[in-house]
Amino acid sequence: MSKKGRVLFSFVLILSVIVPVSEGNAEERKQEPTQPVQLENLDRGLIAASTPEGNFLSWRLLADEVTGHTDKGLTGTTFHVYRNHNKIAEVEESTNYLDENGGEESNYYVRAVEDGKEGEASDKVSPWEENYYDLPLQKPEDGVTPAGESYTYHANDMSVGDVTGDGQYEFVVKWDPDNSKDVSQNGYTGNTYLDTYTYEGELLYRIDLGVNIRSGAHYTQFLVRDFDHSGKAELMFKTAPGTKVITYDENGEVTSEEYITMPEEDKEAGYSHSDDYRMSSDDYYNHIVEMFMDWHEHEEVVNGSWPETLEESFGLEPRYDYPLSREDAESLADYFMDEYAPERSERNTLRELEGFILNGPEYLTVFNGETGEELETIDYKPGRHDDGLMWGDYAMSRIEPGNRVDRFLAGTAYLDGQKPYAVFARGYYTRSTLVSYSWDGNHLEEHWYVDSGWTPMDNPFNDSPHGTPGTNEEFSSITTQGNHSFSTADVDGDGAHEIIYGSATIDDDGSLLYGSFDTLPEESADPGAEARLGHGDAMHVTDIDPDREGQEIFTVHEGGTYAPYGYSLRDAETGEILYGEYTGEDTGRGMIGDVVPEQEGMETWAEGLWTADGEKISDDMPGTNMNIKWSADLTTQIIDGAVDETPVITDWKEGTLLTAEGTRTNNHTKGNPGLVADVFGDWREEMLVRTEDSSAIRMYMNTEVTDHKLYTLMHDPQYRSGISWQNSGYNQPSYPSFYFASDMDWEDVPVPDMKRSPSLDRLHDTLEAYIENGEVTGPLSHQLTHSLRQAAHHHDKDAMKQARHFMEKFLMHLERTHQERHLSEEAEKDLERQGEQILETWKN
C-alpha cells in the first residue's frame, strides 16, 4: 500500500444509516435517524497477498456504494481489476479476486465503475510474500525500577485511526513493560508508551505517559477517533504530570520532547513535571500515618457514618486521644499493618506495598493524531478522592489500596446519533462513574456525567460494599454492575448509542435506562432476595437471535453465590433475562458466534454450548479468548493461544485454520491479539499480533475467496465504536449493529445512505490518476497540481481567502477552451464537480 502525502486536508465522510423495518416490526421501536452520522472517509484499502494458487486481492466496498441486496450479499459498485496497468477482471459479486497468473513482480489497482464509467484508481499495491504483513516497530529501551528491578518492553494493545486524512489507517501501539501489573498487584512498573505508526512503519511520534501513570490493563484506555469532524483522528486518554510527546528524525534521533500543559492552579500549588508519586514502602507507611492523624476530620467520621476512633474500627478498646499525635498514629499504623491486616488475609502484606500512585494530579488530554501535539488538557473527572478508602479498598478481607479506585474504562459512542463522543469511566465494583465529552477541535465540552455516589459503609475497615446501592438515588443501582469493559449500541432503536455498562445500561442522554436484577435461587447465599446480576469479565452485544426484535446482551457474572446467574442472555433494550443459569461460582469467560451454521442464530457459551433461543447443544464449547470474522462463509472463528503459546485461529467444525508462528498474544491468560478489526480489504477482520521479539506487528488476512459482498464493517457505527473500546480493560470483540452470520438475511442489513463531504485528498488522488492514465496531460497537469497544492497549503494555515483563490484558479484552468486537447471530457467533469463542491464548502 503506497503512502500518500499528508499536506492535503481531508473532510469527513458523512453517513445516514437507514435501518430497514421488516414487515411486522414495531415502528415505534425502530426510528429512522434524521441526521447523518460521522464516519471515516476511507480509501479502497486494497491488499494483495501471494498464495499457492496465485495472488489474492481484497478491497473495500464503501457504504455509499451499496444499491441493494441479493440472497448472498449486497449489491453495488462493480470493480475493474488491473495488473501492471492492464485490466484483468471485472468483479461484481464480491470485493476480492484471485489472480492465478499473478507473480511476485505484479502490481495491482482497482477502479470503481459507475454508470459504465471508471472512477479513480486505488493506490497500487504489490503482493505480500505470505498471508501477512509485518509492520516494523521501534521498541523502547529497557529500564530499571526504583527497587532495582530490570524490565523490558513488548507491544500490547492497539487501535487504528486515519490521523493523516489520506483515507488509510495509521496504527497506535501501546508498549507495556514486562512488569506491568493488574491494578490489585503490588510492585513498581515501567512507563507506558503509545506510538503512532504509518502502514510503512514510520514512527510519527511517541507519547511517554511518565512515571505517574501505572502500567497495566486497567490504567490506560486510549481512544483514537475523529471527534471534531476534521477528517483526521485525535488521540484521547488519561495523563499525569510527566506525560510528554517525543518526536524523532529519520535516523531515530530525538528531535523534541514536549510535556503536556499543566493547569495554572496545579503549577501554583507546586506541582511539576519532575514529580514522582510512586510510593515506596516507607512512603506508604507515612501515608497511613498521616491518614490516621487526620481521622477526626474525615467527612464520614464528622457526619457520624464511620466510627469516631480507629480503635473502634479495628475492634480495640479506646486508648488514644484525638486528634492523634504522630506517635499515636504510628502505633496504630503498626498495629494495622502488622496485626489487623494479616489476620484478615495472609495476602495483606502492607509493609511490602510499593509502586502504587495514590496521590497527585490526574488529567485528560487530547492529542493531534498526526503530529502528537497536545491540543487540550483538563482535570480527569472524577478524581480519585483518596487512596481507595471510600471506594471500599480497605473494607474487604483483602486490603487493596489503589484497586477499586483505579478501575478505568473508555470508549466512543454516537450519543446524538451523529458524531462520536468520548466516554470515560472510573469504578465498577462500588462507586461507578461515567462522563462523556464532545471535542470541537479546540475544547472538550462535558456532555453528561453519571455518578452512583459512594456505597455507604458502617466501617471502612470491615464491611461489604459490593452490591450496596449508591448514595445518588438516580444511579444507585449501577454499583457493582460494571464489567472490565463496556459496550456501545443503539439498544432502543432511536438512532443514538447507549452505554451497556455490564449489567446496567445508560441511555444516550445520560439517564439510567435500567439496572438488571433477579431473584436469588434456593441454592444461593440468600434465597429469594432480589440481587444485581452484577460484575463480570466478558460481555457481547449485537443481534444474537434474528427471530427477536433488536439486539441481545450475553454476559458472564462473577458474583458466585450472590449472583442470580453465572451467565445470561438479556434483551438489550429492557434488560429482561431470556435465558441463563445459576452457577454459584465466578464464571470467568464467555463468548458468542456462529459456530454451528446449521442452527439458526448465534451460539453462546460459558458453561456448555447453547443456541440463541436457549437450547443446550453440547457440554463442550469453543475457546473464549477472542473471536474473529475470518471465514468466507460468514461463520465465526476463535483465536486461541495465551501466555507463551503460539496464537491459532480455529473453527469449531474444521479445526485449526491458521497457526501464527513466531507471534504472541497479550494480557497473559486473556490471550488477546493486539487488535482484531476490519482494517483493510473486504469485510472480514484481520488479526494483528506482535512478533515474539516485538520487532513488528504481524497483520494476518484470510486469502480465501468469498462471494459474499458487504461494505466495510468500519462503516457500521456500532462496530466502529467497538474498535475504539476494544483496547479497554479486558479486550472484547467488536460487533456490528445487525445480525452477522452464515444464515443472515441480507434484506435486514442496514442500508446506508452516505453523503461524503468533498475532500482535497480525494481530489488530489483523482487528479493524479487522470494524469497517470493520460487523461490530463501537458502543461495543464502542472497548472492543476500547483493550484491544488497551494489551495491545500493555505487551507492548512487557515488562510481561507487565499485557499479559495487557488481553488478558483484550479477551476479556471479546467474551463479554458484551449485546454481541451490536454483534458478528457470525463476528467473535466469529475475534477470540476469535486472542485466546485470544495469551493462551495469553503464559502460556507
Side-chain angles (χ1 to χ4, degrees), residues 627-661:
N627 68 27
I628 184 170
K629 302 163 191 67
W630 179 261
S631 285
D633 61 2
L634 299 155
T635 57
T636 307
Q637 286 63 50
I638 300 299
I639 300 172
D640 281 324
V643 193
D644 290 324
E645 298 176 356
T646 299
V648 294
I649 296 178
T650 63
D651 185 274
W652 181 238
K653 297 286 188 179
E654 304 296 329
T656 300
L657 304 180
L658 173 75
T659 301
E661 296 289 355

Side-chain angles (χ1 to χ4, degrees), residues 161-351:
D162 180 9
V163 305
T164 64
D166 64 358
Q168 300 180 16
Y169 280 126
E170 281 71 44
F171 302 86
V172 180
V173 180
K174 174 185 171 187
W175 288 100
D176 249 19
D178 59 8
N179 62 355
S180 66
K181 308 291 184 186
D182 182 272
V183 71
S184 65
Q185 293 174 341
N186 185 44
Y188 289 97
T189 72
N191 292 14
T192 297
Y193 298 97
L194 287 173
D195 287 357
T196 299
Y197 295 91
T198 66
Y199 176 84
E200 294 76 19
E202 178 188 357
L203 175 59
L204 298 181
Y205 54 85
R206 169 169 290 164
I207 301 178
D208 177 359
L209 273 69
V211 298
N212 296 312
I213 298 288
R214 211 162 181 247
S215 294
H218 299 286
Y219 296 101
T220 297
Q221 333 296 335
F222 53 101
L223 304 182
V224 186
R225 288 300 301 271
D226 177 11
F227 291 101
D228 65 351
H229 219 130
S230 70
K232 298 183 180 182
E234 294 80 36
L235 274 64
M236 198 183 305
F237 49 87
K238 184 175 182 285
T239 58
T243 298
K244 62 183 177 181
V245 179
I246 307 170
T247 59
Y248 303 86
D249 63 20
E250 59 185 13
N251 298 317
E253 299 296 324
V254 174
T255 56
S256 68
E257 295 187 30
E258 296 288 338
Y259 288 104
I260 60 172
T261 303
M262 188 174 289
E264 286 298 322
E265 57 268 28
D266 285 350
K267 290 190 286 187
E268 292 172 2
Y271 296 109
S272 77
H273 286 298
S274 61
D275 293 345
D276 186 343
Y277 304 112
R278 295 173 296 178
M279 284 190 170
S280 67
S281 55
D282 288 341
D283 293 332
Y284 180 66
Y285 176 78
N286 290 327
H287 168 78
I288 291 296
V289 170
E290 291 173 3
M291 181 171 72
F292 286 3
M293 290 176 67
D294 293 335
W295 185 254
H296 65 290
E297 295 181 340
H298 196 285
E299 58 194 280
E300 294 293 276
V301 174
V302 172
N303 67 27
S305 298
W306 290 357
E308 289 187 12
T309 69
L310 288 161
E311 297 97 303
E312 184 181 350
S313 297
F314 300 147
L316 300 174
E317 292 296 322
R319 63 181 71 172
Y320 300 110
D321 295 325
Y322 287 76
L324 291 170
S325 66
R326 176 166 286 275
E327 181 180 4
D328 290 345
E330 288 176 348
S331 178
L332 275 169
D334 292 339
Y335 172 78
F336 171 67
M337 287 188 165
D338 298 334
E339 297 184 51
Y340 182 80
E343 285 175 1
R344 291 179 65 78
S345 171
E346 62 181 14
R347 298 179 63 172
N348 292 335
T349 56
L350 300 185
R351 289 283 186 183

